Every structure is written in C-alpha cells, then in structure tokens.
Amino acid sequence: MTARAVVTGIGVVAPNGFGVDEYWSATCGGKSGIGRVTRFDPSGYPAQLAGEVSGFSAEEHLPSRLVPQTDRMTQLALVGAEQALAGAGVSVADLPEFGVGVVTASTCGGFEFGQRELQNLWSKGGQYVSAYQSFAWFYAVNTGQISIRHGMRGPSGVLVGDQAGGLDAIAHARRHVRGGSDLILSGGVDAPICSWGWAAQLAGGRLSTGDRPERAYLPFDTCAAGHVPGEGGGLLTVESADAARRRGAPRVYGEIRGYGSTFDPRPGSGRPPTLRKAIEIALDDAGLPPGEVDVVFADAAAVPELDRVEAAAITDVFGPHGVPVTAPKTMTGRLGSGAAPLDVATAFLSMRAGMIPPTANVTLSPEYDIDLVTTAPRAASVDTAVVLARGRGGFNSAVVLGSADWN
C-alpha cells in the first residue's frame, strides 16, 4: 500500500467550458456558465438559474446505439472519460483487463431519463417504458457504461455522498492503485437539470432564488442566500507513478497525497461539526503540516450557517488569512458529485499554470478571516492544494494534492 497515485489525464464537461483548455481559459477569465434554465420551462419555480453544459449533443460524440440507452448524465460522463483517457495517452487495450477499473460518484442518478419513462408509464402505459430504464437511472450507471465501453474489468464501484462523494471516489481510486491496480478512472458527473430533479433540489431548501446570474451564488458574501445547481463534472485517470513512468505517460498533473473523511454529529447533539477533523486527517495522511498548503478549494455552500462552519474550519487549521482560498464553482454552480472532482482538476491546472483562479462575483464578508481570492486570478507557486467537499446530511471529505515530480 505504498504506491504513489498520480493523475495522468483529465476530462472536463463543465457549464463554462468543454474540455480542459476551454474550461481553464474560462475559469481564469471569470467566465460564468450560469444562466436561466433552458432544459425545461422554469417559469413556475422560485429558482430559475442553473449551470448548463450548452451546445452538447450526444449524437456528435457517442455511437447511435448508446444514445437511447443513456441519461444525459451518462452521456456527459462517457465523453469526459474519453477526454481523460486520451489526455493520459493510454490505450486501455494494452493494459491487463482486470488491472483497470472505474470508480465514480453520483448524487442523484439518471433523473431526466427516469422522469421521461415515468411520464410514459403514467400517460401511456407500461408497454411504453424503455427497457433501459432498469439501469439508466441507477447511481452506478456511469461506472458501468464507462467500464463496458472501454473493457475495464478491474476493481470498480460507485460512491454516494452528495458533494463529498466525488472526493470519496477519487480516494477509492487511490486505494485501488496502492493495492496494485494499474489504472482507475475516477471522478463524478451529474445532470439533474430537469423538472423532476428540480423539485427534489428545491425541497432541500438550499437553492438560490436570485434572478441575476452574477449575484445568485455568493459563498462567503454578506448576500449569500443559497447555491445555483449545475450539471457536469470532472473525470481523472489515476495510475501508480511507477506504471505511468513505465508506459511513458506524456504528462503527470500531480499526486493524490492525502484523504480524510468524517461525518457530522446529528443536529441538536451539541457536538461541533467535523470538517476541521477531515482536513486534519487528510494532512496527516499526506504527512504534511498546514503551513505547506498553498491553496484551499472550498466547498462553498453559500448558506450563511454552512459558510461559517467552513470558514471556521479553514481558519482553525491554517490560521486567520493563513492560506489562499478559492471557489471557482461560482462560475459553474454546484455540480453534485461532479463538483469536487472538477475542483481537483482545477487544482492540478493551477499547479501547472502557477495561477489560482478567482471566486467570481463574490465580495468577502468581513465576518470571515479567510484569504479569499476574488475578482481576478492570483499568480502563485502552487505545489500543494487541499480540496474540500460536504454532502447534505453530514458528509465531509478532504483531499491533499501535490504537484508532479516530472512532466
């Protein structure tokens, strides 16, 4: 269990950029992908903004036989997987079929597909329900479809922990690589922008009802009033450092160095939240003191009570204004299980570029003693990053990432 787990490929399907280069350019340029919902008519709902992956046509990227079998979530995930493997310069067929696997996360499964088929059931009858409904809605479907498409028959799985699940999946990929697997494709992609999914998210009580895209999602701001949801995410090719060297990987973005996960006590118990503990566990796992961290990618709930908890955890671990903090998800919305893997990808791109992207549109409240990067990117030497994610119900996860030793 000593192999170093490195990331050799990145796939990005985000509301403000399709592919690594487009996404990174948009993120550093403060370009937002948030706008009024177009995938259904939102006029009857109190929240009407989302981060959508615009211009995506599954028929342009996938075989025609796959399109009717899959939800939009899975279609985006399959394309992200293609990007991640291509970016790694790897041919899965050249690796042992039981040495390559897939571990993804999911928050809601294939909501849009499920809504359509249930509408067929209610309005037309059971004979009009697609046989593919049996798996297209399922949390594990992205893992299954990616593994089938690429012949990846090694250790695989799915993690369900809301936003935190994306980091949990990447940590499990690291565990498999340390245990001897050659390569694990990991991360998360969600796509809950349909009326059924919208109703479910509204029931959670955390959606922003703002009608101005630039003022709707404002974590750590005095005007914070909920988040904007989105679709998309990030997928990573994770390998052992030795395996990547042996096959001559064209690049290594960095290393997954540490991981910590905790679960908050029940509300009303009087015990404190445990996000701070998750950070400390991850740093201890990485063998690093807080002073060596160059940037923190925040969960950024944009709910004042939750923002206070996160800001306090960061301040307690790193000290007041002790480390730059950023939340580029203000330009994409919160992407469910895809949010944290996209932050991981962004952290590795920050290391490569020597640049911390901004938390767009946010003015830091004086209530918080954190060094939030706002307005514009900040030039910085980024060798170590911490990514945080929290899931509804008490899930907390943190990963520590390190820069690559070679390119």
Side-chain angles (χ1 to χ4, degrees):
M1 298 290 287
T2 58
R4 294 171 53 207
V6 298
V7 171
T8 56
I10 293 174
V12 171
V13 283
N16 65 339
F18 199 81
V20 168
D21 293 338
E22 184 177 309
Y23 166 74
W24 179 247
S25 176
T27 299
C28 288
K31 178 183 176 183
S32 175
I34 293 174
R36 192 172 191 271
V37 171
T38 65
R39 295 197 60 75
F40 66 95
D41 180 6
S43 57
Y45 298 87
Q48 300 183 4
L49 298 178
E52 296 180 331
V53 180
S54 62
F56 174 75
S57 172
E59 290 80 3
E60 295 177 3
H61 298 277
L62 299 172
S64 58
R65 65 174 180 79
L66 267 180
V67 176
Q69 300 180 23
T70 49
D71 181 77
R72 180 176 174 87
M73 168 195 72
T74 302
Q75 294 164 3
L76 290 169
L78 286 166
V79 174
E82 294 276 2
Q83 293 178 10
L85 293 171
V90 64
S91 171
V92 174
D94 295 335
L95 299 175
E97 60 180 328
F98 292 102
V100 290
V102 185
V103 180
T104 66
S106 178
T107 295
C108 58
F111 251 120
E112 189 174 45
F113 196 106
Q115 175 182 330
R116 183 179 67 243
E117 299 310 316
L118 286 174
Q119 286 175 327
N120 286 341
L121 174 65
W122 297 333
S123 63
K124 300 177 182 179
Q127 67 270 33
Y128 292 95
V129 176
S130 169
Y132 301 122
Q133 167 68 359
S134 60
F135 60 79
W137 70 273
F138 192 43
Y139 296 105
V141 66
N142 288 353
T143 290
Q145 289 285 15
I146 292 169
S147 64
I148 291 168
R149 182 160 169 73
H150 296 283
M152 304 170 82
R153 302 178 66 185
S156 297
V158 61
L159 282 295
V160 181
D162 194 18
Q163 299 272 142
L167 293 187
D168 298 336
I170 291 170
H172 275 263
R174 173 187 181 229
R175 178 180 296 173
H176 287 312
V177 165
R178 284 180 148 192
S181 294
D182 293 273
L183 181 152
I184 303 290
L185 191 80
S186 188
V189 172
D190 268 317
I193 313 302
C194 63
S195 55
W196 192 25
W198 207 248
Q201 293 182 82
L202 282 167
R206 294 183 183 177
L207 292 197
S208 169
T209 57
D211 58 2
R212 296 169 54 197
E214 72 279 7
R215 297 299 298 164
Y217 181 21
L218 302 170
F220 307 112
D221 193 302
T222 55
C223 296
H227 70 268
V228 173
E231 63 180 2
L235 289 164
L236 312 173
T237 302
V238 183
E239 302 181 69
S240 75
D242 289 343
R245 280 197 181 96
R246 282 196 303 271
R247 72 171 185 84
R251 69 181 62 80
V252 173
Y253 287 98
E255 180 181 359
I256 304 164
R257 298 191 61 181
Y259 165 69
S261 179
T262 60
F263 195 78
D264 288 337
R266 64 174 177 80
S269 68
R271 291 181 290 160
T274 58
L275 178 61
R276 172 183 176 175
K277 186 63 175 177
I279 301 171
E280 292 172 339
I281 292 171
L283 288 170
D284 184 65
D285 185 36
L288 292 173
E292 290 194 24
V293 174
D294 301 305
V295 63
V296 172
F297 283 75
D299 174 71
V303 175
E305 179 184 353
L306 296 175
D307 285 353
R308 291 186 193 103
V309 168
E310 184 168 29
I314 293 170
T315 301
D316 289 345
V317 173
F318 300 100
H321 300 274
V323 64
V325 178
T326 189
K329 58 171 65 74
T330 58
M331 291 173 269
T332 64
R334 288 172 71 83
L335 310 182
S337 69
L342 184 59
D343 277 347
V344 169
T346 309
F348 284 133
L349 297 175
S350 295
M351 294 174 188
R352 186 177 68 173
M355 192 80 69
I356 300 172
T359 308
N361 303 316
V362 169
T363 300
L364 179 65
S365 168
E367 176 181 357
Y368 305 119
D369 291 327
I370 60 174
D371 178 17
L372 190 67
V373 179
T374 60
T375 309
R378 181 185 298 181
S381 176
V382 180
D383 291 314
T384 304
V386 168
V387 177
L388 305 179
R390 292 175 291 177
R392 189 176 182 89
F395 299 96
N396 303 289
S397 294
V399 297
V400 179
L401 309 172
S403 59
D405 292 337
W406 82 98
N407 291 310

